[in-house]
PDB file of all heavy atoms in Angstrom:
ATOM      1  N   ASN A 129     -14.913  12.884   7.245  1.00 96.00           N
ATOM      2  CA  ASN A 129     -16.158  13.632   7.538  1.00 96.00           C
ATOM      3  C   ASN A 129     -17.156  13.557   6.491  1.00 96.00           C
ATOM      4  O   ASN A 129     -18.042  14.344   6.386  1.00 96.00           O
ATOM      5  CB  ASN A 129     -15.740  15.093   7.844  1.00 96.00           C
ATOM      6  CG  ASN A 129     -14.936  15.798   6.865  1.00 96.00           C
ATOM      7  OD1 ASN A 129     -14.981  15.439   5.649  1.00 96.00           O
ATOM      8  ND2 ASN A 129     -14.082  16.655   7.105  1.00 96.00           N
ATOM      9  N   ASP A 130     -16.985  12.564   5.517  1.00 97.00           N
ATOM     10  CA  ASP A 130     -18.010  12.289   4.549  1.00 97.00           C
ATOM     11  C   ASP A 130     -18.670  11.052   4.902  1.00 97.00           C
ATOM     12  O   ASP A 130     -18.754  10.690   6.170  1.00 97.00           O
ATOM     13  CB  ASP A 130     -17.470  12.241   3.150  1.00 97.00           C
ATOM     14  CG  ASP A 130     -16.320  11.248   2.953  1.00 97.00           C
ATOM     15  OD1 ASP A 130     -16.132  10.418   3.961  1.00 97.00           O
ATOM     16  OD2 ASP A 130     -15.797  11.079   1.834  1.00 97.00           O
ATOM     17  N   THR A 131     -19.282  10.234   4.078  1.00 97.00           N
ATOM     18  CA  THR A 131     -19.971   9.083   4.307  1.00 97.00           C
ATOM     19  C   THR A 131     -19.038   7.785   4.309  1.00 97.00           C
ATOM     20  O   THR A 131     -19.458   6.653   4.268  1.00 97.00           O
ATOM     21  CB  THR A 131     -21.133   8.842   3.281  1.00 97.00           C
ATOM     22  OG1 THR A 131     -20.571   8.691   2.042  1.00 97.00           O
ATOM     23  CG2 THR A 131     -22.091   9.974   3.456  1.00 97.00           C
ATOM     24  N   THR A 132     -17.738   7.953   4.393  1.00 97.00           N
ATOM     25  CA  THR A 132     -16.839   6.868   4.150  1.00 97.00           C
ATOM     26  C   THR A 132     -17.038   5.797   5.326  1.00 97.00           C
ATOM     27  O   THR A 132     -17.092   4.565   5.117  1.00 97.00           O
ATOM     28  CB  THR A 132     -15.364   7.362   4.290  1.00 97.00           C
ATOM     29  OG1 THR A 132     -14.959   8.165   3.139  1.00 97.00           O
ATOM     30  CG2 THR A 132     -14.395   6.221   4.417  1.00 97.00           C
ATOM     31  N   ARG A 133     -17.176   6.330   6.516  1.00 97.00           N
ATOM     32  CA  ARG A 133     -17.447   5.389   7.718  1.00 97.00           C
ATOM     33  C   ARG A 133     -18.619   4.545   7.549  1.00 97.00           C
ATOM     34  O   ARG A 133     -18.613   3.305   7.776  1.00 97.00           O
ATOM     35  CB  ARG A 133     -17.473   6.175   9.008  1.00 97.00           C
ATOM     36  CG  ARG A 133     -17.789   5.281  10.189  1.00 97.00           C
ATOM     37  CD  ARG A 133     -17.569   6.045  11.490  1.00 97.00           C
ATOM     38  NE  ARG A 133     -17.944   5.158  12.605  1.00 97.00           N
ATOM     39  CZ  ARG A 133     -17.579   5.449  13.904  1.00 97.00           C
ATOM     40  NH1 ARG A 133     -17.007   6.578  14.191  1.00 97.00           N
ATOM     41  NH2 ARG A 133     -17.890   4.594  14.817  1.00 97.00           N
ATOM     42  N   ASP A 134     -19.752   5.134   7.176  1.00 97.00           N
ATOM     43  CA  ASP A 134     -21.059   4.558   7.052  1.00 97.00           C
ATOM     44  C   ASP A 134     -20.995   3.447   5.952  1.00 97.00           C
ATOM     45  O   ASP A 134     -21.439   2.347   6.098  1.00 97.00           O
ATOM     46  CB  ASP A 134     -22.169   5.521   6.633  1.00 97.00           C
ATOM     47  CG  ASP A 134     -22.530   6.323   7.816  1.00 97.00           C
ATOM     48  OD1 ASP A 134     -22.282   5.985   8.950  1.00 97.00           O
ATOM     49  OD2 ASP A 134     -23.074   7.435   7.615  1.00 97.00           O
ATOM     50  N   MET A 135     -20.256   3.802   4.840  1.00 98.00           N
ATOM     51  CA  MET A 135     -20.093   2.821   3.759  1.00 98.00           C
ATOM     52  C   MET A 135     -19.256   1.641   4.209  1.00 98.00           C
ATOM     53  O   MET A 135     -19.616   0.485   3.773  1.00 98.00           O
ATOM     54  CB  MET A 135     -19.477   3.472   2.449  1.00 98.00           C
ATOM     55  CG  MET A 135     -20.424   4.607   1.864  1.00 98.00           C
ATOM     56  SD  MET A 135     -19.629   5.552   0.660  1.00 98.00           S
ATOM     57  CE  MET A 135     -19.509   4.339  -0.682  1.00 98.00           C
ATOM     58  N   LEU A 136     -18.171   1.928   4.901  1.00 97.00           N
ATOM     59  CA  LEU A 136     -17.277   0.796   5.314  1.00 97.00           C
ATOM     60  C   LEU A 136     -17.988  -0.113   6.292  1.00 97.00           C
ATOM     61  O   LEU A 136     -17.866  -1.265   6.330  1.00 97.00           O
ATOM     62  CB  LEU A 136     -16.078   1.338   5.857  1.00 97.00           C
ATOM     63  CG  LEU A 136     -15.047   2.011   4.898  1.00 97.00           C
ATOM     64  CD1 LEU A 136     -13.902   2.663   5.575  1.00 97.00           C
ATOM     65  CD2 LEU A 136     -14.432   0.892   3.943  1.00 97.00           C
ATOM     66  N   GLU A 137     -18.813   0.510   7.151  1.00 97.00           N
ATOM     67  CA  GLU A 137     -19.532  -0.288   8.132  1.00 97.00           C
ATOM     68  C   GLU A 137     -20.539  -1.200   7.468  1.00 97.00           C
ATOM     69  O   GLU A 137     -20.758  -2.414   7.932  1.00 97.00           O
ATOM     70  CB  GLU A 137     -20.298   0.547   9.163  1.00 97.00           C
ATOM     71  CG  GLU A 137     -19.218   1.284  10.102  1.00 97.00           C
ATOM     72  CD  GLU A 137     -19.916   2.216  11.173  1.00 97.00           C
ATOM     73  OE1 GLU A 137     -21.035   2.561  10.847  1.00 97.00           O
ATOM     74  OE2 GLU A 137     -19.171   2.672  12.110  1.00 97.00           O
ATOM     75  N   ASN A 138     -21.252  -0.693   6.373  1.00 97.00           N
ATOM     76  CA  ASN A 138     -22.088  -1.693   5.630  1.00 97.00           C
ATOM     77  C   ASN A 138     -21.364  -2.714   4.972  1.00 97.00           C
ATOM     78  O   ASN A 138     -21.783  -3.929   4.974  1.00 97.00           O
ATOM     79  CB  ASN A 138     -22.762  -0.800   4.550  1.00 97.00           C
ATOM     80  CG  ASN A 138     -23.825   0.223   5.124  1.00 97.00           C
ATOM     81  OD1 ASN A 138     -24.390  -0.077   6.256  1.00 97.00           O
ATOM     82  ND2 ASN A 138     -24.079   1.236   4.477  1.00 97.00           N
ATOM     83  N   ILE A 139     -20.110  -2.476   4.379  1.00 98.00           N
ATOM     84  CA  ILE A 139     -19.330  -3.487   3.892  1.00 98.00           C
ATOM     85  C   ILE A 139     -18.916  -4.574   4.825  1.00 98.00           C
ATOM     86  O   ILE A 139     -18.920  -5.782   4.698  1.00 98.00           O
ATOM     87  CB  ILE A 139     -17.966  -2.886   3.197  1.00 98.00           C
ATOM     88  CG1 ILE A 139     -18.389  -2.163   1.951  1.00 98.00           C
ATOM     89  CG2 ILE A 139     -17.063  -3.966   2.788  1.00 98.00           C
ATOM     90  CD1 ILE A 139     -17.313  -1.244   1.321  1.00 98.00           C
ATOM     91  N   CYS A 140     -18.515  -4.163   6.045  1.00 96.00           N
ATOM     92  CA  CYS A 140     -18.118  -5.020   7.136  1.00 96.00           C
ATOM     93  C   CYS A 140     -19.244  -6.040   7.550  1.00 96.00           C
ATOM     94  O   CYS A 140     -18.905  -7.104   7.835  1.00 96.00           O
ATOM     95  CB  CYS A 140     -17.643  -4.220   8.347  1.00 96.00           C
ATOM     96  SG  CYS A 140     -15.970  -3.532   8.288  1.00 96.00           S
TER      97      CYS A 140
END
Side-chain angles (χ1 to χ4, degrees):
N129 52 31
D130 60 0
T131 62
T132 293
R133 175 171 179 164
D134 293 337
M135 295 174 72
L136 289 172
E137 288 176 347
N138 288 334
I139 290 171
C140 283

